[in-house]
Amino acid sequence: MERPAWAPRSIDISVPSVSRIYDFYLGGSHNFEVDREAARRAMEFMPGLPKIMQANRAFMRRAVRFAADEGIDQFLDIGSGIPTFGNVHEVAGRSRPGARVVYVDHDPVAVAHSEAVLAGHDDADVVAGDLLKPREILASPQVERLIDLNRPVALLLVAILHFVEDEDDPYAAVAELSDALAPGSLLVLTHASYEGIPLTAERAGGAVDVYKDIRNPLIMRSRDDIARFFEGYDMVEPGLVPMPRWRPEEEPEDEDPYAFSGFAGVGRTA
């Protein structure tokens, strides 16, 4: 397999990556055949996966605009993935010029492309980091330069927590990040769930098994389990809901049924 010029030498391009699979679902070009093959296998069981990802991105953009309209001008996006049109710094910058954004991802391709996209942007940067190591993220030079933790921050954990197994205690990682935030900060979160998927759990489980096969287990939590991530936050209306139902710009009933898979919510620290 020929290595594209944009692929860092450090990555194994024969191994699928969830961020590159996500890029494929969104119609991006920074993915390899091994990523596309895994995506197509998952779509054999759950053909609406691209629609789910599109609904996820649409929610993220609405939530960022909401945060900016609420006066927040600092954004920490962990699990940011490969940059696509309408990324956080673009959406936030349009609503609140001068907004500062730090992206965090552990995928070298996502980090390399973020660095390329952000070249020349003094108000945005990227960290190669792991959600399960909050202290390293918060102590990074990029966060220290751009994020003032004494003022409200929008913490984005969009489509990342369902890739963290219970044994790794994602609740502790979120709590540690939350403890570092100033009052008035926001937690923006989406999470996969069997609830809402227009398929039987058995058939949807076939797609989950594909992720398990590529050593990136997809953890489908219940609404109640997802709500636990918001402990210590006051939920912003309309609460924890299917993605198209969070402050929609158009009638959610017009959305594809797959868009209602999983949950999204925004919480505010007291």
Side-chain angles (χ1 to χ4, degrees):
M1 184 187 304
E2 184 177 351
R3 181 182 296 270
W6 49 262
R9 302 297 303 179
S10 60
I11 69 167
D12 183 349
I13 62 176
S14 68
V15 176
S17 153
V18 292
S19 64
R20 298 195 304 267
I21 292 171
Y22 187 57
D23 178 67
F24 172 72
Y25 288 142
L26 292 175
S29 59
H30 296 104
N31 48 77
F32 306 119
E33 181 55 33
V34 68
D35 305 307
R36 296 188 285 272
E37 173 59 26
R40 287 191 287 262
R41 283 170 50 210
M43 289 170 63
E44 289 177 5
F45 298 97
M46 199 184 300
L49 277 166
K51 178 54 66 175
I52 296 172
M53 306 311 168
Q54 291 162 18
N56 186 79
R57 295 294 285 192
F59 160 77
M60 180 273 288
R61 291 168 183 151
R62 295 196 306 275
V64 168
R65 285 195 293 270
F66 168 80
D69 290 344
E70 291 289 296
I72 291 180
D73 60 1
Q74 305 184 104
F75 297 81
L76 180 59
D77 183 1
I78 302 179
S80 51
I82 295 170
T84 57
F85 174 75
N87 240 27
V88 174
H89 70 281
E90 295 173 333
V91 178
R94 282 195 294 269
S95 298
R96 188 159 290 276
R100 296 187 166 196
V101 180
V102 175
Y103 297 105
V104 182
D105 208 284
H106 71 277
D107 186 313
V109 170
V111 173
H113 276 282
S114 296
E115 289 173 342
V117 167
L118 299 174
H121 287 269
D122 292 336
D123 293 332
D125 210 337
V126 60
V127 175
D130 185 340
L131 167 65
L132 296 177
K133 298 177 180 178
R135 292 181 187 178
E136 292 183 10
I137 293 172
L138 296 171
S140 66
Q142 298 91 328
V143 169
E144 290 189 343
R145 180 175 73 86
L146 290 172
I147 305 294
D148 178 1
L149 293 173
N150 294 310
R151 297 194 301 111
V153 176
L155 170 63
L156 279 69
L157 299 175
V158 176
I160 180 175
L161 290 166
H162 48 234
F163 291 114
V164 184
E165 297 181 86
D166 288 339
E167 64 190 49
D168 292 321
D169 202 352
Y171 297 101
V174 174
E176 188 169 345
L177 287 164
S178 298
D179 287 345
L181 302 180
S185 294
L186 298 178
L187 172 61
V188 177
L189 184 154
T190 65
H191 198 297
S193 176
Y194 284 122
E195 298 175 40
I197 295 178
L199 295 171
T200 63
E202 290 75 19
R203 183 158 181 83
V208 173
D209 288 342
V210 171
Y211 282 90
K212 186 183 300 182
D213 289 344
I214 65 172
R215 299 182 182 179
N216 282 283
L218 180 59
I219 312 303
M220 307 289 270
R221 295 187 171 94
S222 69
R223 185 184 183 282
D224 287 345
D225 286 339
I226 298 167
R228 285 180 55 203
F229 288 112
F230 288 99
E231 288 183 2
Y233 289 86
D234 295 325
M235 294 302 295
V236 171
E237 289 293 333
L240 186 62
V241 295
M243 292 176 287
R245 298 197 183 282
W246 197 90
R247 301 187 174 230
E249 296 168 350
E250 300 177 358
E251 286 298 321
E253 284 69 22
D254 295 336
E255 287 279 0
D256 185 290
Y258 276 99
F260 294 86
S261 305
F263 294 95
V266 176
R268 179 183 280 110
T269 57

